[in-house]
Amino acid sequence: MPENQRRRILSGMRPTGRLHLGNLVGALQNWIELQEQYECHYFVADWHMLTTHYAEVSELQSDIQEMVTDWLAAGLDPSKATFFIQSRLPEHAELHLLFSMIAPLGWLERVPSYKEQMDNLEGRDLNTYGFLGYPLLQAADILMYKADGVPVGEDQVPHVELTREIARRFNHLYRKVFPEPQALLTHAPRLPGTDGRKMSKSYGNAIFLSDPPAVVSKKVAGMMTDPARKRRWDKGNPDVCPVFDFHKIFSPPEVVERVNRECRTAEIGCVECKKLVTGQLNQFLAPIQNRRRQLEQNPEQVWQVLEEGTCKARQVAQATMQEARAAMNLTH
Ligand code: TRP
Ligand code: SF4
């Protein structure tokens, strides 16, 4: 890739509604950094949501609005990057269909998330055509924009690998249309939820970007700590404490150092330690929540950003589809 050309980045997020700190640290902060240097396309993966949550669509539009409000509040900037909604671009469905002709079933069945999610998301029937094809839809999302880099978490790396294989197969069968994208692994620091497990909306252990100070304070106060530290005078081990993971991300180095030292000697107690982190969190969230309030006053702004982004994305998508159709001799 020539140095002088801005590399193209593409990533998508399922519309899960209001975002939490885990989403921020795990993905959003990375997206925000990338928009400074690259040509970024970020989209709402609403069709992807349907591959697992096809039976729960009633909140879909409000979940999109809440999530994108958080995107913009957190610092994603429509003057730097393009934001769109997947389902507003039927081109993605068309490319998915064309890819479905050349994708061996075995490739899809072997994607690790396929069997894993089938087992994990119990209570849902995932024996559907759409769920099997989900990584192929992702390949269409990525190749549509001829992305060079795809920022994803570790669990999504096999999907980018599949995307590369589909690109290769298409280029080999017809002609070279698609470059092979790279996965850009997000090196996210560990941010557990309030109970020490992975932060997740469905676990009920999340702190949301939109949680007001009193809610943050209450959630942190109820956080799990070093289980061996039962009394104020017990010495603690911050390395096994989720509160310390928060300090490492949100507190300045001198506070991290102090907690690291004084927890081990029982000089600081968990109540004070948590107060410190609550202060840092609320300070960090204040500007985000200010921007959020402004966006909430005029939600049409958010939809307008998506509308404009969708128009821009459509130009790229239409051009790619022309090429793909022509390569498969679908044009006269
Ligand atoms: N599959 C991703 C997820 O569940 C979302 C996604 C859909 C995506 N299409 C994408 C991510 C393309 C990166 C690129 O989180
Ligand atoms: Fe965790 Fe802080 Fe308590 Fe140590 S003092 S166990 S780091 S909450």
Side-chain angles (χ1 to χ4, degrees):
M1 191 70 208
E3 290 285 317
N4 54 2
Q5 213 170 322
R6 274 224 303 175
R7 301 222 305 162
R8 194 175 280 171
I9 298 285
L10 175 115
S11 201
M13 207 182 273
R14 292 164 172 248
T16 53
R18 291 177 180 239
L19 295 180
H20 54 64
L21 291 171
N23 302 130
L24 181 82
V25 171
L28 214 49
Q29 277 184 333
N30 193 233
W31 286 17
I32 292 166
E33 278 166 37
L34 289 167
Q35 71 179 347
E36 302 298 334
Q37 276 187 53
Y38 300 100
E39 188 189 314
C40 295
H41 287 77
Y42 297 129
F43 72 98
V44 178
D46 56 349
W47 277 338
H48 280 266
M49 194 68 170
L50 292 184
T51 63
T52 50
H53 291 61
Y54 54 83
E56 297 125 86
V57 296
S58 58
E59 309 289 306
L60 198 47
Q61 294 310 305
S62 63
D63 280 347
I64 292 174
Q65 182 179 314
E66 295 290 5
M67 180 172 82
V68 178
T69 302
D70 278 334
W71 284 5
L72 302 178
L76 281 172
D77 182 345
S79 72
K80 294 174 180 161
T82 303
F83 306 97
F84 64 92
I85 301 177
Q86 181 184 35
S87 70
R88 305 286 202 275
L89 290 155
E91 288 83 355
H92 287 236
E94 185 184 354
L95 193 56
H96 176 218
L97 177 98
L98 296 183
F99 286 164
S100 77
M101 307 301 169
I102 67 168
L105 273 178
W107 290 11
L108 295 173
E109 287 160 349
R110 271 196 299 276
V111 171
S113 62
Y114 182 58
K115 286 222 165 55
E116 267 166 42
Q117 289 217 53
M118 282 262 231
D119 299 340
N120 289 347
L121 297 184
E122 35 186 291
R124 263 178 230 293
D125 183 4
L126 293 183
N127 267 308
T128 58
Y129 183 52
F131 184 64
L132 178 67
Y134 147 86
L136 199 60
L137 178 59
Q138 185 161 355
D141 300 333
I142 296 168
L143 295 176
M144 184 73 83
Y145 301 91
K146 301 186 178 179
D148 304 292
V150 187
V152 283
E154 216 164 336
D155 59 314
Q156 297 279 317
V157 172
H159 298 172
V160 181
E161 196 43 54
L162 177 84
T163 303
R164 296 164 61 87
E165 282 169 332
I166 294 291
R168 237 175 278 147
R169 187 160 163 82
F170 186 100
N171 294 343
H172 169 77
L173 283 169
Y174 311 110
R175 72 168 98 107
K176 185 166 186 322
V177 174
F178 299 108
E180 289 180 35
Q182 299 280 332
L184 305 177
L185 239 189
T186 311
H187 296 286
R190 190 185 122 83
L191 186 81
T194 51
D195 59 359
R197 293 188 292 169
K198 183 185 156 82
M199 190 180 284
S200 160
K201 195 172 193 170
S202 55
Y203 290 165
N205 64 0
I207 297 177
F208 293 91
L209 302 186
S210 47
D211 278 344
V215 173
V216 172
S217 175
K218 199 165 155 235
K219 286 184 177 175
V220 173
M223 260 180 94
M224 195 195 116
T225 61
D226 171 3
R229 196 173 181 196
K230 294 202 178 63
R231 297 163 198 276
R232 172 65 186 83
W233 56 83
D234 292 336
K235 290 174 182 164
N237 177 8
D239 297 329
V240 301
C241 178
V243 178
F244 191 55
D245 287 318
F246 275 68
H247 273 297
K248 282 186 280 191
I249 296 171
F250 296 104
S251 297
E254 40 317 339
V255 175
V256 179
E257 236 166 77
R258 181 184 157 209
V259 168
N260 194 20
R261 205 174 45 234
E262 296 188 358
C263 171
R264 293 175 201 278
T265 57
E267 268 171 272
I268 190 170
C270 294
V271 174
E272 192 189 346
C273 179
K274 286 175 165 180
K275 276 203 184 115
L276 286 176
V277 95
T278 300
Q280 298 294 342
L281 273 178
N282 284 333
Q283 210 178 314
F284 172 84
L285 291 175
I288 296 177
Q289 295 181 358
N290 266 334
R291 280 193 293 272
R292 192 177 218 289
R293 268 189 292 276
Q294 282 162 19
L295 291 161
E296 279 167 355
Q297 269 159 30
N298 186 6
E300 282 313 310
Q301 240 177 293
V302 173
W303 291 105
Q304 185 66 25
V305 164
L306 290 167
E307 187 60 44
E308 281 164 19
T310 301
C311 281
K312 272 198 249 168
R314 182 169 289 122
Q315 313 266 310
V316 182
Q318 284 181 343
T320 303
M321 285 319 298
Q322 290 278 346
E323 278 184 83
R325 287 183 208 122
M328 292 178 83
N329 202 17
L330 292 164
T331 51
H332 179 64

